[in-house]
Amino acid sequence: MAILTYNMIVSLDGYVEDSAGSLDYAMPDAETHRFFNRQTEETAAFLFGRRMYEAMEDFWTAQERADGEDIEAEFARLYVDTPRTVFSDTLDSVADGCRLVRSADAVAEVQRIKRETEGTIAVAGAALAKSLVDEIDQFEVILLPTILGGGKPYFPVGQHLDLALEEHRVFAASGWVYMRYSVSR
């Protein structure tokens, strides 16, 4: 059975995007990007909400990514080669290599995917993670030394979870910190 992990870049004050809905504050340096590439290489599938899907798909499938810097080109190849499921009630179609599932079916679909998949399944998108919080096995936080002052929070509001630190790493050049927690159930 797969491990479902919620993995997002987070500001020091706990936001995954700023108050304008932008992710532009979160541009990784080469060291951090190589770490993301290794994570993606080990990811069996991505699960996206609509907004995260649109941001990732538009950026990482663009030809300039595949033809760009080696680190970005590698990530683009890994991203496109990884199965992607998009949970949305507003989209009518998704790109090749992706599957569309209605949000109302998210929990049952994720349970099925977990049963039928080996390895790590990565959830990206705060709203989707909130709807799947009882299915999430791990929380991965990439903490940035920046304060946004508002925006969309990483953690579901009102949800209490006990977590155990499993792994951490500091990226010295950028000051970014990676932390992986398992859910204590």
Side-chain angles (χ1 to χ4, degrees):
M1 182 181 273
I3 294 172
L4 185 62
T5 186
Y6 173 38
N7 181 332
M8 294 286 291
I9 293 172
V10 183
S11 67
L12 187 59
D13 54 348
Y15 297 101
V16 296
E17 58 186 45
D18 66 20
S19 58
S22 175
L23 303 170
D24 290 344
Y25 74 97
M27 302 308 292
D29 65 6
E31 176 189 24
T32 311
H33 214 307
R34 279 190 292 278
F35 177 77
F36 291 155
N37 289 9
R38 296 298 68 81
Q39 277 190 315
T40 302
E41 193 171 46
E42 297 170 2
T43 299
F46 287 114
L47 308 179
F48 293 119
R50 180 192 55 82
R51 289 188 61 214
M52 186 56 67
Y53 160 74
E54 290 173 342
M56 292 291 288
E57 199 72 14
D58 289 348
F59 190 81
W60 290 110
T61 60
Q63 192 58 44
E64 59 264 25
R65 295 292 95 64
D67 295 339
E69 295 180 32
D70 289 345
I71 288 174
E72 284 194 356
E74 178 187 25
F75 185 89
R77 283 189 304 276
L78 293 165
Y79 174 80
V80 169
D81 289 345
T82 304
R84 300 174 305 284
T85 300
V86 182
F87 295 88
S88 173
D89 293 327
T90 58
L91 294 174
D92 294 322
S93 64
V94 291
D96 289 342
C98 301
R99 231 170 30 88
L100 179 61
V101 175
R102 296 297 163 211
S103 298
D105 301 326
V107 172
E109 181 62 13
V110 167
Q111 289 171 342
R112 184 193 66 75
I113 292 170
K114 281 178 75 173
R115 281 191 311 270
E116 297 176 3
T117 305
E118 293 294 323
T120 299
I121 301 169
V123 175
L128 179 60
K130 181 178 181 179
S131 73
L132 298 173
V133 72
D134 291 332
E135 303 302 319
I136 294 173
D137 303 301
Q138 296 181 147
F139 287 83
E140 292 182 285
V141 177
I142 299 94
L143 188 64
L144 275 62
T146 190
I147 294 175
L148 297 178
K152 184 177 284 184
Y154 171 87
F155 289 109
V157 176
Q159 183 75 37
H160 176 95
L161 295 170
D162 291 318
L163 307 174
L165 182 64
E166 300 290 339
E167 180 181 359
H168 63 34
R169 175 178 177 177
V170 176
F171 298 94
S174 65
W176 290 24
V177 179
Y178 166 78
M179 297 168 287
R180 181 173 54 86
Y181 294 90
S182 62
V183 177
S184 303
R185 295 201 203 281

